[in-house]
Amino acid sequence: MSGGNLLIRGGYVLTMDSAGDLQGADVHVRDGAIVAVGEHLDAPGAEVIDAAGKIVAPGLVDTHWHMWNTLLRGLSDGSDRSGYFVNCVALGRHFLPADTYAGTRLACAEAVDAGITTVHDWAHNIRGIDWAEAGLRALSESGLRARFSYGYETGHPNDRLMALDDLTRVASAWSSYSAGGRIQLGMAWRGTGGSNPAMRVAPALYREEIETARGLGLPVSVHACGPRHAAGQLATYAAERLLGPDLQVIHLNNAWTNEISLAAARGTPASVSPFTELQIGYGQPVTGALLAAGVPTGLSVDTTMLSGNADMFAIMKVTQGCANALAHDEFALTARDVLRLATIEGARTLGLDSVTGSLTPGKRADVIVVSPHAPNIGVLTDPARLLVTAAHPGNVEVVIADGRVLKRSGALTGYDVAEVTSTARNALAGVLERT
Ligand SMILES: [Zn+2]
């Protein structure tokens, strides 16, 4: 899978590490790893990918994405009977494992196409181990780097524990699921009751859940402080001494200032999903406040039921726009800052910063080449600014994950797109028929 010998030659290389930007530099990839970055590298026998006049950057990092429900793209609008949460539960109940596979695979294909090489699949429609295995199979086949966060099923009753036995079983057999270490396991935790205060989970239950995950050595991820009335969830986690680097918290839009300070003090990472937070009415993303407090922060797709697509370039752009708008300051968040969130900082929030997120010798080879030779770019000025404000997935010419070329000359190498999309349409038809 990742035994290639590749030389990405002559690009404008954004290393996103202390080496900075290197114009006209090469990136040498061998056996899935970056072995050298610099000018005029000698790489005998390597397949050459010409990147002259193009931007070479680390693969983009998503930090929270309900990939299964990509099958339901577009189905969350109009009224409170057809909104995101209602449809997610109503349709999610009728998913079979093959539907989870079809939805997750469509999301994976979209990720590759968009230059995202790391995803955090927040699997919250696991209706049994078969559904987990279906999602894992799609991730494994994709070639992407991933965290698979094992969750519950949509509509899971508040008075019942998550399926901790299944999680434990999958964790104990993890080497057979991990695609050689490319996929890590985590827990998608429902927390103290999610975003609706009328749906609290008894402390004895949620404590057992998080203690089980931690007993298995798994990182945990939880939605926190969604709607305005739910502010205070982070304070609850702090009071329960649950905050720490292994607990990712999502949607801190309405967290109190002291809650953000608590997260920073405990090294608790955050995930910001600007498009879905705006779309569902959580209010402004608080990226600037998180960074000012020192909270490790990454960006996320969340769900294409709300965001529509997984365009991480657009996610970066709206992140910068929202931060500057909120600060009334054109320079509150720079393009370079936000590109860091979508690469090395996102990787840090997943505990993967020693593996990916920058073009550093010794790291795994997750690399993208973006061509400016399209009407929406056309000039090669500040490459960070171009990636954040001008580029779109169509400009991504080459995608390499773990040393394997997943997109070449603008075409996906591992997917028959017509087959992926027709399978998705057929699966959705079945879900709708059963609902
Ligand atoms: Zn989410």
Side-chain angles (χ1 to χ4, degrees), residues 18-370:
S18 57
D21 295 357
L22 306 170
Q23 286 194 53
D26 305 338
V27 179
H28 184 201
V29 170
R30 198 173 55 219
D31 298 330
I34 296 169
V35 290
V37 179
E39 288 179 25
H40 309 299
L41 296 180
D42 194 24
E47 177 197 340
V48 173
I49 294 174
D50 181 17
K54 297 170 186 173
I55 301 166
V56 180
L60 303 173
V61 177
D62 157 76
T63 62
H64 135 251
W65 186 355
H66 310 291
M67 297 181 87
W68 67 273
N69 70 27
T70 297
L71 201 67
L72 308 178
R73 195 194 307 268
L75 287 173
S76 60
D77 194 23
S79 78
D80 57 5
R81 291 188 311 280
S82 56
Y84 171 66
F85 291 111
V86 170
N87 270 348
C88 206
V89 174
L91 300 171
R93 280 184 200 283
H94 297 282
F95 267 57
L96 301 174
D99 306 320
T100 296
Y101 174 75
T104 306
R105 191 170 65 139
L106 179 60
C108 288
E110 186 182 10
V112 173
D113 191 49
I116 297 170
T117 56
T118 298
V119 294
H120 176 194
D121 185 10
W122 218 100
H124 66 353
N125 195 24
I126 296 182
R127 315 191 74 81
I129 277 189
D130 290 351
W131 283 256
E133 289 184 335
L136 282 163
R137 183 158 64 92
L139 289 174
S140 178
E141 290 171 357
S142 73
L144 294 166
R145 195 170 306 292
R147 181 192 289 182
F148 178 79
S149 279
Y150 198 112
Y152 37 94
E153 76 280 19
T154 63
H156 182 94
N158 273 23
D159 59 356
R160 219 180 67 209
L161 270 175
M162 291 169 60
L164 300 176
D165 291 347
D166 287 352
L167 170 64
T168 303
R169 213 175 329 153
V170 168
S172 64
W174 186 244
S175 61
S176 63
Y177 296 108
S178 71
R182 218 180 61 230
I183 309 174
Q184 64 166 186
L185 181 63
M187 179 201 259
W189 186 41
R190 60 177 168 164
T192 56
S195 52
N196 183 348
M199 295 172 56
R200 306 309 285 186
V201 177
L205 294 186
Y206 68 69
R207 283 177 195 148
E208 186 172 342
E209 290 167 353
I210 196 164
E211 281 163 16
T212 299
R214 286 185 161 159
L216 293 168
L218 302 179
V220 177
S221 176
V222 67
H223 295 92
C225 304
R228 200 172 310 174
H229 59 255
Q233 281 185 33
L234 213 53
T236 304
Y237 301 146
E240 298 249 347
R241 299 179 178 280
L242 298 179
L243 299 182
D246 66 341
L247 182 72
Q248 180 201 45
V249 289
I250 304 163
H251 307 316
L252 298 187
N253 309 57
N254 296 298
W256 298 320
T257 305
N258 72 315
E259 291 184 292
I260 291 175
S261 303
L262 287 167
R266 299 301 309 275
T268 299
S271 181
V272 175
S273 63
F275 278 122
T276 66
E277 290 166 359
L278 293 168
Q279 188 72 29
I280 207 159
Y282 284 175
Q284 286 277 349
V286 289
T287 318
L290 295 172
L291 297 179
V295 176
T297 301
L299 303 179
S300 59
V301 173
D302 189 357
T303 169
T304 56
M305 286 179 74
L306 288 165
S307 69
N309 62 34
D311 180 348
M312 189 58 77
F313 300 103
I315 289 171
M316 290 194 281
K317 181 173 177 169
V318 76
T319 297
Q320 185 185 22
C322 288
N324 290 357
L326 209 55
H328 294 268
D329 178 358
E330 179 183 356
F331 309 111
L333 194 65
T334 67
R336 183 72 57 163
D337 295 332
V338 76
L339 184 60
R340 286 180 62 79
L341 301 185
T343 54
I344 184 63
E345 292 304 317
R348 196 184 314 284
T349 67
L350 298 176
L352 290 172
D353 49 308
S354 65
V355 177
T356 189
S358 66
L359 301 180
T360 306
K363 286 196 181 184
R364 301 305 292 170
D366 300 340
V367 191
I368 59 173
V369 179
V370 178

